[in-house]
Amino acid sequence: MAPQHMRNVESYDSEVPSQPSSAITSLPMSPDEERKVRMVRYATAMGIRMICIAACFFTPGWWLLIPALGAIALPYFAVIAANTVVNRSGPAVERPGALLPYVSRDGAS
């Protein structure tokens, strides 16, 4: 006859509590990737500013105020956007290595 702990193998999975698994995609961005995203955001805003400056030469009358305000205000918002660090923390990722030694129920190793 089988030992007591091996008789009900089918119900073993239901007795063990399942822990939420962590995926590599739940990790936050690396500092290098985050810096690159912020630099691209800043460069895009400065590119739009250069277009606003060029538009100032070709825009007649009071319409000149629109690209002029863009050329004046965009550096401020570009610096604010570039210095804003987005901290998208997902679920906490548990560090592997918490393995416990196997001890049988009858005490024999």
Side-chain angles (χ1 to χ4, degrees):
M1 184 169 212
Q4 177 66 27
H5 67 277
M6 294 188 70
R7 286 186 188 163
N8 200 358
V9 176
E10 293 83 23
S11 67
Y12 178 74
D13 289 336
S14 64
E15 293 174 8
V16 176
S18 62
Q19 295 179 354
S21 61
S22 299
I24 193 71
T25 56
S26 67
L27 292 175
M29 260 194 292
S30 70
D32 290 335
E33 289 174 356
E34 183 184 10
R35 191 176 309 113
K36 181 181 178 187
V37 168
R38 291 189 288 138
M39 287 174 58
V40 167
R41 196 179 313 150
Y42 180 78
T44 303
M46 289 296 103
I48 294 171
R49 179 182 185 226
M50 294 304 293
I51 293 170
C52 288
I53 291 172
C56 286
F57 292 110
F58 301 108
T59 308
W62 66 272
W63 289 98
L64 175 67
L65 290 175
I66 295 172
L69 286 175
I72 293 169
L74 267 174
Y76 173 76
F77 292 109
V79 169
I80 296 297
N83 288 332
T84 302
V85 177
V86 178
N87 188 4
R88 295 183 186 140
S89 60
V93 178
E94 293 183 20
R95 180 177 166 201
L99 298 176
L100 300 174
Y102 174 73
V103 177
S104 66
R105 290 187 184 194
D106 60 357
S109 295

